[in-house]
Amino acid sequence: MASERDVRARLQRAGQEHLLRFCAELAPGPRAALLAELGALEPEALREHCRRAAAACAHPPGPPPDLAARLRPLPPECVGSASRCDPEMRRLWEEEGFRQIALNKVAVLLLAGGQGTRLGVTYPKGMYQVGLPSRKTLYQLQAERIQRVEQLAGQRHGTRCTIPWYIMTSEFTLGPTAKFFKEHDFFHLDPNNVIMFEQRMLPAVTFDGRAILEQKDKVAMAPDGNGGLYCALSDHQILEDMGRRGVEFVHVYCVDNILVRLADPVFIGFCVLRGADCGAKVVEKAYPEEPVGVVCQVDGVPQVVEYSEISPETAQLRGPDGSLLYSLGNICNHFFTRDFLQMVSSEFEPLLKPHVAVKKVPYVDEEGNPVKPIKPNGIKMEKFVFDVFQFAKSFVAFEVSREEEFSPLKNAASAARDNPATTRRALLTQHYRWALQAGAHFLDACGARLPEPPSLSGSREPPAICEISPLVSYSGEGLEEYLRGREFRSPLILDENQARALQP
């Protein structure tokens, strides 16, 4: 371990010697921990990180003055749709996806490095229960979807197949996530096929470029954003592991979308048959000012432009058919070839520009007293996973139904949207819709059949509660044998045991 003298010299080179101002009063254990943390920071990289953070924060927010002239929608030939396509073409996409899964060429990669701060919890989001009758967490729903799509691919091609699950965590989420998976027996997945790895951490910085001490013996650190994936892949030899397993295609997604379809064979097949090295699932924006990034082109190159960077005038633009010109909303749901990830990690990662996030960062004052700020006081620098689209040789976007595939859990119950109630409602409404499509009928408290509503959306509660285990159906398939012509009282919880009982 580096000595205090060596660490102090390194911090002087970085212009951050203030991080040792309480070192002399620390007990041996905390002092050693602080020196180890600081000794791991490269002086030049630390100096540049703090300089860039302060410089970026000084730039005025809002759209770049010339962005509107450089912006274009994606060319139509780069965009596919799950709903507005020929049914035979969709079948071919799905079949190709299942074929690649059956060949063990597909992996899923979960971005789970962020904390549940906005959600109001101290543990990782994937451990959260939104209040489903089954009490399943996001992690369990995702694990069961992996099992089901493996089963479907295996049945189609007469083989046993495996979809490895790579989970990128952070210093904050690795321990709790690993413990949670062990306590739940990895949700009946083979532990050898669940690979957790940790992204890098970066110091939070004051507006004038000084790294922040969170405690006398600890620097305020934060994950380097979901775009930290590309360094983490190299740090932990994840791409080498994929290569040994024969993985060629990777589905990357965020933890908080309760409707996410892991290793979606339709999406995988679409991207493979198009020869894409990089792809993005998108949903149509609900309204021009919706706060989602837009997948489009800037200077002829595919990119996600944040909603804050698009002027209201540009957001309102419409095409000849009356639809929004910039309508493709990014949902952090991506396809990459392993070769593309290898190229980004080895060549292009240093070109990714970090983004500024102004946050309330706890710190110690000059007397060493802990302070919880009531307004933003620091900068966290993050890279975004989608910033690599610009390096793709063949980029595609794939539009899917919001009601079927996107309902993120971001906020606490007090928020108006993207909260536990809205995500729970989205899933239960989807399952109720699947049950009706499979021929089920629901009864009210008096035993009378409930009328089928003309339309169902996640904006209001379904007439009856219906939850379908992912182990029974991945995307609504195969439910007719259990539900057609049958009547059910609410709630209907269709798990594996109930499905066996309902089999003819």
Side-chain angles (χ1 to χ4, degrees):
M1 186 185 74
S3 67
E4 179 181 342
R5 178 178 177 181
D6 290 339
V7 171
R8 190 175 297 277
R10 290 162 65 88
L11 290 177
Q12 284 176 338
R13 284 160 51 197
Q16 304 292 325
E17 192 180 358
H18 65 281
L19 295 173
L20 282 174
R21 64 186 186 274
F22 300 110
C23 188
E25 56 189 83
L26 295 176
R31 182 188 298 124
L34 177 64
L35 292 174
E37 182 177 49
L38 295 173
L41 301 173
E42 289 293 330
E44 288 74 20
L46 177 60
R47 183 179 65 243
E48 181 63 12
H49 167 70
C50 294
R51 184 198 67 77
R52 290 177 71 174
C57 188
H59 289 163
D66 61 340
L67 180 63
R70 301 160 54 204
L71 213 58
R72 295 289 183 275
L74 285 180
E77 61 270 19
C78 295
V79 182
S81 172
S83 57
R84 291 194 289 267
C85 67
D86 175 72
E88 176 60 16
M89 183 58 68
R90 180 189 169 95
R91 188 193 67 77
L92 291 174
W93 293 338
E94 183 179 57
E95 183 54 44
E96 177 64 18
F98 276 128
R99 189 176 75 87
Q100 297 296 342
I101 292 168
L103 291 170
N104 295 307
K105 291 186 177 182
V106 177
V108 291
L109 196 156
L110 166 59
L111 304 172
Q115 297 170 284
T117 309
R118 282 169 59 188
L119 189 55
V121 297
T122 57
Y123 51 83
K125 274 189 192 178
M127 294 164 54
Y128 194 87
Q129 296 182 28
V130 300
L132 295 173
S134 66
R135 301 181 62 81
K136 289 178 180 177
T137 60
L138 297 180
Y139 280 149
Q140 183 171 354
L141 291 171
Q142 293 168 22
E144 291 181 354
R145 286 175 189 147
I146 290 175
Q147 292 174 67
R148 177 62 177 169
V149 79
E150 286 176 340
Q151 180 188 46
L152 290 171
Q155 288 172 350
R156 285 189 178 221
H157 292 274
T159 185
R160 288 178 61 88
C161 55
T162 297
I163 300 173
W165 194 7
Y166 296 89
I167 302 177
M168 185 177 79
T169 64
S170 68
E171 176 184 298
F172 302 131
T173 63
L174 177 58
T177 297
K179 182 172 181 284
F180 190 75
F181 271 70
K182 288 176 183 174
E183 289 173 348
H184 291 82
D185 195 26
F186 287 79
F187 306 104
H188 305 294
L189 292 169
D190 183 344
N192 293 318
N193 297 324
V194 180
I195 304 97
M196 299 183 193
F197 61 104
E198 198 171 337
Q199 69 185 108
R200 295 181 183 181
M201 304 287 285
L202 294 172
V205 180
T206 61
F207 299 141
D208 59 354
R210 289 161 58 88
I212 297 173
L213 265 184
E214 182 178 347
Q215 302 168 13
K216 289 183 178 181
D217 59 349
K218 182 167 179 56
V219 180
M221 303 287 280
D224 55 356
N226 55 30
L229 169 66
Y230 307 108
C231 280
L233 291 174
S234 296
D235 292 345
H236 302 282
Q237 293 81 50
I238 297 301
L239 294 172
E240 289 79 358
D241 184 84
M242 290 180 181
R244 287 190 293 271
R245 294 170 183 266
V247 169
E248 293 185 18
F249 309 111
V250 186
H251 177 210
V252 177
Y253 70 100
C254 273
V255 69
D256 57 13
N257 179 11
I258 197 170
L259 300 182
V260 64
R261 295 185 181 179
L262 289 84
D264 175 13
V266 180
F267 182 43
I268 298 293
F270 168 77
C271 293
V272 171
L273 290 177
R274 287 290 187 96
D277 54 359
C278 177
K281 265 193 184 183
V282 295
V283 296
E284 184 177 2
K285 288 180 68 175
Y287 51 93
E289 302 82 13
E290 184 181 9
V292 295
V294 172
V295 181
C296 57
Q297 287 187 340
V298 179
D299 299 329
V301 174
Q303 193 168 314
V304 174
V305 178
E306 287 298 288
Y307 65 91
S308 59
E309 297 177 332
I310 297 179
S311 69
E313 296 77 17
T314 301
Q316 295 278 355
L317 291 175
R318 295 186 180 270
D321 62 353
S323 64
L324 288 175
L325 196 61
Y326 298 103
S327 64
L328 304 182
N330 177 51
I331 60 173
C332 198
N333 192 317
H334 307 313
F335 166 94
F336 300 113
T337 64
R338 180 170 57 86
D339 287 344
F340 178 76
L341 291 174
Q342 184 68 61
M343 181 178 65
V344 169
S345 297
S346 61
E347 297 179 39
F348 295 128
E349 196 285 330
L351 303 179
L352 298 180
K353 294 180 180 179
H355 301 257
V356 173
V358 179
K359 304 280 189 178
K360 290 182 282 189
V361 182
Y363 66 99
V364 290
D365 63 18
E366 291 307 311
E367 284 72 45
N369 302 308
V371 179
K372 285 194 172 182
I374 58 174
K375 62 181 182 179
N377 65 310
I379 305 160
K380 295 181 179 180
M381 298 291 280
E382 304 172 328
K383 293 182 178 180
F384 293 161
V385 66
F386 52 72
D387 282 341
V388 301
F389 291 177
Q390 61 184 308
F391 306 122
K393 295 176 182 175
S394 178
F395 175 83
V396 293
F398 191 63
E399 186 180 350
V400 297
S401 162
R402 182 187 296 254
E403 290 181 354
E404 287 292 336
E405 298 204 35
F406 184 56
S407 182
L409 175 65
K410 295 187 179 295
N411 304 313
S414 56
R417 60 196 299 271
D418 299 342
N419 61 42
T422 62
T423 53
R424 177 179 65 251
R425 190 164 61 234
L427 187 71
L428 294 179
T429 300
Q430 179 190 64
H431 290 183
Y432 183 77
R433 190 166 55 242
W434 288 356
L436 293 183
Q437 291 167 353
H441 303 283
F442 288 87
L443 307 178
D444 64 17
C446 300
R449 279 193 182 184
L450 291 169
E452 293 190 13
S455 65
L456 283 169
S457 72
S459 61
R460 56 186 177 184
E461 297 291 340
I465 292 174
C466 174
E467 183 184 353
I468 299 170
S469 168
L471 296 172
V472 174
S473 185
Y474 173 81
S475 59
E477 81 292 332
L479 295 174
E480 289 81 4
E481 67 172 308
Y482 313 119
L483 304 180
R484 184 175 298 282
R486 295 177 184 264
E487 296 180 331
F488 301 93
R489 292 181 184 271
S490 177
L492 168 61
I493 314 300
L494 186 59
D495 57 17
E496 286 184 294
N497 292 331
Q498 177 75 346
R500 279 192 289 268
L502 288 172
Q503 277 183 320

